[in-house]
Each structure stands twice: as structure tokens, then as C-alpha cells.
Amino acid sequence: SSPAVMPVRKLIAERVLGPEHPDTLAARASLAFWTGQAGDAAAARDRFAALLPVAERVLGPDHPDTLINRHNLANFTGYAGDAAAARDQFATLLRVRERVFGADSPDTLTARFNLAYWTGRAGAAVAARDQFATLLPIRERMYGPDHPDTLATWEELAYWTGCAGAAAAARDQFAAL
């Protein structure tokens, strides 16, 4: 579809369902997400930033859709160039997901992974390495050693180990991987 179609659909959803209907909020979230996927991380960040307070008010701050919006806001904040803000947003999100879903839920582990990633991108390679080192045995226990999420954690651990100044250890981790 043409780029002009999505805003028209959004306006129709707002007109027909209302601006705070859950389906309208879902359409706004999709528009924000696909705006970022299309290459405009700053616009996606701004759309999620505008959507989040409405979702918190309408759906509640702990609703799964609200937490997904918060997750996407954090990622697109980082992709738009503010790794430190993304890190801080994921730190907040992690605490909420631990409380709502538990420490070992897939959503919580994803938030933990992203917190470690944006910690590294914010310039704290040692902290990122340590966070991935803490996450790895949890993912191994939850998913097994051959699961893609476990392997991604191994890869990030090796990468941030190297960035933290331990080239030989990173080499050995990548060789094992």
C-alpha cells in the first residue's frame, strides 16, 4: 500500500472507534513500529512517546500492550541515537516486567537482554559483559544451550568481553560458540 494509506486508516479508526479505543491504540502502535522499521527511528520514538501515556491511562501501566509500547519506545530511543536513555528506559521496564511477569518470564529475559545491549551501546562495555554473563546461565536453564536466544546471549557476551578489553577471552568465547 502507498505511504498515504496508513495515516488515512489511523484517522478512520479514530473517527469510528475513538482516539482511545484499544484497537485505535493498537493501530497507532503498529504505525509507530513500522515507521521505525521503515528507517525513521526518531519518528517511531516520538510516536511511541506520544502513545505511551494514553496506553497507560486507558489500558493500565502493567497491561501487556502498554509494556510492549514501553519496550518499543526504549528500542527506538536507542536506534534514534540515545543509547543512555534507552538503557535507562530498559532498566525501568525490567523492574516492571519482573514484578508483573516474574524474573524468568520470556518478556523479562528479553528486557534484561536489551538492558545489557543498550548498556554496552551507552559506553559501558564491562557492565554489558557482566549483565550478559549473568543472563547466559538463566537462558541456558530456561531454553537450553542450543536455543537461538541462548546463542544470541553467548554472542553478545563474547562481543562485549572483547569490547571490555579481553580480546583473547572474546576469541575463545567466539570459538566455543
Side-chain angles (χ1 to χ4, degrees):
S1 66
S2 70
V5 171
M6 269 312 280
V8 171
R9 286 186 182 155
K10 177 179 174 269
L11 293 175
I12 292 170
E14 286 180 331
R15 180 176 52 80
V16 172
L17 301 172
E20 295 187 353
H21 188 280
D23 290 348
T24 302
L25 299 180
R28 288 180 61 191
S30 293
L31 175 59
F33 179 81
W34 289 107
T35 296
Q37 292 298 104
D40 194 345
R45 175 204 58 213
D46 295 345
R47 287 183 183 277
F48 277 114
L51 174 59
L52 187 58
V54 179
E56 288 176 330
R57 186 178 72 255
V58 173
L59 303 173
D62 296 342
H63 188 279
D65 290 349
T66 302
L67 297 177
I68 290 168
N69 290 332
R70 184 176 295 283
H71 173 100
N72 285 325
L73 171 60
N75 265 333
F76 285 114
T77 296
Y79 297 142
D82 194 345
R87 175 203 59 215
D88 296 345
Q89 291 171 18
F90 271 113
T92 299
L93 177 61
L94 177 60
R95 288 189 297 275
V96 174
R97 283 192 168 166
E98 285 176 333
R99 178 177 51 77
V100 172
F101 300 121
D104 290 342
S105 82
D107 289 330
T108 301
L109 297 180
T110 297
R112 187 176 299 286
F113 181 96
N114 284 306
L115 172 59
Y117 175 82
W118 289 112
T119 296
R121 292 289 172 216
V126 171
R129 178 204 61 207
D130 294 347
Q131 290 173 20
F132 281 114
T134 299
L135 177 58
L136 182 60
I138 298 168
R139 279 197 158 166
E140 286 178 325
R141 177 175 48 82
M142 296 298 296
Y143 303 137
D146 299 329
H147 189 278
D149 288 349
T150 303
L151 297 175
T153 305
W154 263 109
E155 182 177 7
E156 291 294 330
L157 173 59
Y159 176 80
W160 292 108
T161 296
C163 290
R171 177 203 60 216
D172 295 346
Q173 290 172 351
F174 275 114
L177 180 63

